[in-house]
Amino acid sequence: MYAEEDYLMLSGIQHFAFCARQWAMIHIEQQWAENYRTTAGELMHKKAHDGGSFEKRGNLLIVRGMRISSHQLGLSGQCDVVEFHQDENGVSLFGYDGTWTPVPVEYKHGIPKENNADELQLCAQAICLEEMLQTDILSGYLYYGERRHRSYVEFTDSLRNEVKKAVKEMHELFQRGYTPNVRPSKQCRACSLKDLCVPKLQKGMKVRAYIEQSIKAND
């Protein structure tokens, strides 16, 4: 269990899954830079949150911009959309008759990623909602702007364990204030922080190796 003052941003798990160094530069060093991808993604999230907080459509209740948190994970954040489907096995909601099953929906610009960063973020949202509402959430959806349709995500034990492992590492790095080095890869080209990170320097000689080489050269 984490104290509220130690909570990390839930959205950071997506950065961490993409690149631990990127996550640390944003969330520990407080560095940020915009590019087309980040700007387009921000506009899509604003659109998802527009239109009011609650919308009722028959047996469906749509909640936008819902604040969530988890003592277990030590995370807090905001869901783009949580759909509550009327279900006899669901939970009670204040001001609404019947019982409802929550289903988180996360909006993303572009297309599905090669890694499972988006799935981890969505699963972390589900774990927060489960803790807050005292219920079980089996699945959710990722909506990708370029494809204009939803991708179904099942919250398996494997995915949940990966979330918990990543969050534990995030807390450890944050407490140490440590920004890890990484091996440069093709995904660096899509990173908005590439000019601040300078990934090519990660391939360079380590300081210790440089000093040892210089000493040997002068012997």
Side-chain angles (χ1 to χ4, degrees):
M1 293 291 183
Y2 292 91
E4 288 189 17
E5 57 267 25
D6 296 324
Y7 283 5
L8 300 176
M9 291 179 62
L10 188 150
S11 59
I13 195 170
Q14 178 192 214
H15 299 137
F16 188 83
F18 175 78
C19 173
R21 181 174 176 81
Q22 184 203 63
W23 172 83
M25 291 181 68
I26 295 173
H27 297 270
I28 296 177
E29 298 182 12
Q30 300 292 302
Q31 298 195 58
W32 183 249
E34 294 284 0
N35 64 9
Y36 168 75
R37 293 169 183 262
T38 60
T39 301
E42 180 65 21
L43 290 174
M44 173 166 281
H45 280 83
K46 287 182 178 179
K47 184 177 180 180
H49 295 167
D50 283 344
S53 297
F54 297 88
E55 181 180 353
K56 183 78 162 48
R57 299 179 185 173
N59 294 330
L60 177 65
L61 175 64
I62 301 172
V63 182
R64 295 182 174 87
M66 182 174 176
R67 301 296 305 179
I68 58 174
S69 63
S70 167
H71 289 296
Q72 175 190 356
L73 297 178
L75 297 178
S76 64
Q78 189 175 25
C79 291
D80 285 342
V81 171
V82 180
E83 294 181 350
F84 288 89
H85 297 256
Q86 197 159 24
D87 181 357
E88 62 181 10
N89 297 316
V91 297
S92 299
L93 297 177
F94 178 77
Y96 293 91
D97 295 330
T99 53
W100 307 76
T101 294
V103 178
V105 182
E106 178 71 11
Y107 282 67
K108 298 294 182 184
H109 172 73
I111 60 177
K113 297 179 176 60
E114 294 182 2
N115 60 23
N116 67 344
D118 295 340
E119 287 80 0
L120 290 172
Q121 182 183 0
L122 186 67
C123 186
Q125 292 178 4
I127 294 174
C128 290
L129 287 166
E130 287 177 332
E131 184 178 318
M132 293 171 62
L133 300 174
Q134 295 297 294
T135 189
D136 295 323
I137 301 175
L138 302 180
S139 61
Y141 293 93
L142 292 166
Y143 177 88
Y144 289 96
E146 288 192 18
R147 294 189 173 181
R148 295 177 179 271
H149 78 265
R150 295 179 172 188
S151 296
Y152 175 83
V153 179
E154 181 182 0
F155 302 134
T156 62
D157 289 341
S158 176
L159 188 61
R160 291 170 183 273
N161 289 334
E162 195 171 347
V163 168
K164 294 172 184 177
K165 181 176 181 294
V167 171
K168 183 174 182 292
E169 293 175 1
M170 288 161 58
H171 278 285
E172 290 172 349
L173 289 173
F174 193 87
Q175 290 171 6
R176 292 170 57 196
Y178 178 71
T179 300
N181 291 325
V182 297
R183 291 182 179 180
S185 66
K186 63 179 182 180
Q187 70 181 17
C188 293
R189 295 194 296 269
C191 179
S192 63
L193 299 184
K194 62 183 179 181
D195 293 332
L196 297 174
C197 176
V198 195
K200 290 183 179 180
L201 295 183
Q202 302 293 315
K203 293 182 178 179
M205 185 181 298
K206 300 295 184 182
V207 174
R208 181 176 178 179
Y210 174 81
I211 294 174
E212 290 177 349
Q213 181 174 307
S214 299
I215 292 174
K216 290 179 179 178
N218 293 326
D219 285 344

